[in-house]
Amino acid sequence: MNDKKVRVTELFDCTVPYLENLFDGCEYPWEMLPKLGKYIENLIKDGIKGFELLSDGVLVGKDVKIYENVTIEPPAIIGDGCVLRPGAFLRGNVVLGKNCVVGNSTELKNCVLLNRVQVPHYNYVGDSILGCRSHMGAGSITSNVKSDKGMVIIKNGDELMETGRKKVGAMLPDDVEIG
């Protein structure tokens, strides 16, 4: 029997200053997903020290490299030192910590990438949270919709937990490598 439930505080070391309150009131990570858009919009409205408005609804930190042919739909926050490679597509409700790499033909939607996350080639990251230093190998997909289009239920310990959501992708703890 595994009756230990995994909670937010055991999965992520959230040292990104502008995300320090992201999980407030959330015991489990998926509880943050429906709040993400509003959270990002409030950060953009209030501003983040050292960040600049790239376009309406898009804040970027220092030393960010954005290659040609990158699409960024608001709201989005791109942390210091991030690299967005050609063909990257940020579909809104996206926030990146420091030094993340979003690669060629990678699509992000309604997700958080904490510090030093790499999704460098042909990835889809939807309705997900990727912990610090996590890495998705080439072609890794966080499928966020069940094949029966029903509500997502997550096994946590020995308990099946209803998320109340039709879309939940991956919750990758810090230092996880998938591919």
Side-chain angles (χ1 to χ4, degrees), residues 36-48:
L36 184 57
K38 191 69 169 164
Y39 187 89
I40 296 169
E41 287 171 5
N42 286 336
L43 284 172
I44 292 169
K45 181 181 69 165
D46 296 341
I48 301 172

Side-chain angles (χ1 to χ4, degrees), residues 7 15 18 21 28 30-31 33 42 50 57 69 83 140 158 173:
R7 291 174 169 76
T15 58
Y18 49 91
N21 301 318
Y28 304 107
W30 59 85
E31 294 171 331
L33 293 173
N42 286 336
N69 301 315
V83 177
S140 299
D158 284 333

Side-chain angles (χ1 to χ4, degrees), residues 14-22 39 43 48 51 77-80 82 95-98 113 115:
C14 192
T15 58
V16 181
Y18 49 91
L19 297 178
E20 63 190 4
N21 301 318
L22 179 65
Y39 187 89
L43 284 172
I48 301 172
F51 280 60
I77 297 174
I78 301 163
D80 295 344
C82 288
V95 62
L96 309 179
K98 292 181 179 180
L113 279 59
N115 290 339

Side-chain angles (χ1 to χ4, degrees), residues 12 112-114 117 119 125 128-132 134 136 142 170 172-173:
F12 309 113
V112 176
L113 279 59
L114 296 175
V117 171
V119 288
V125 183
S128 299
I129 304 165
L130 307 185
C132 294
S134 61
M136 291 178 60
T142 63
L172 298 184

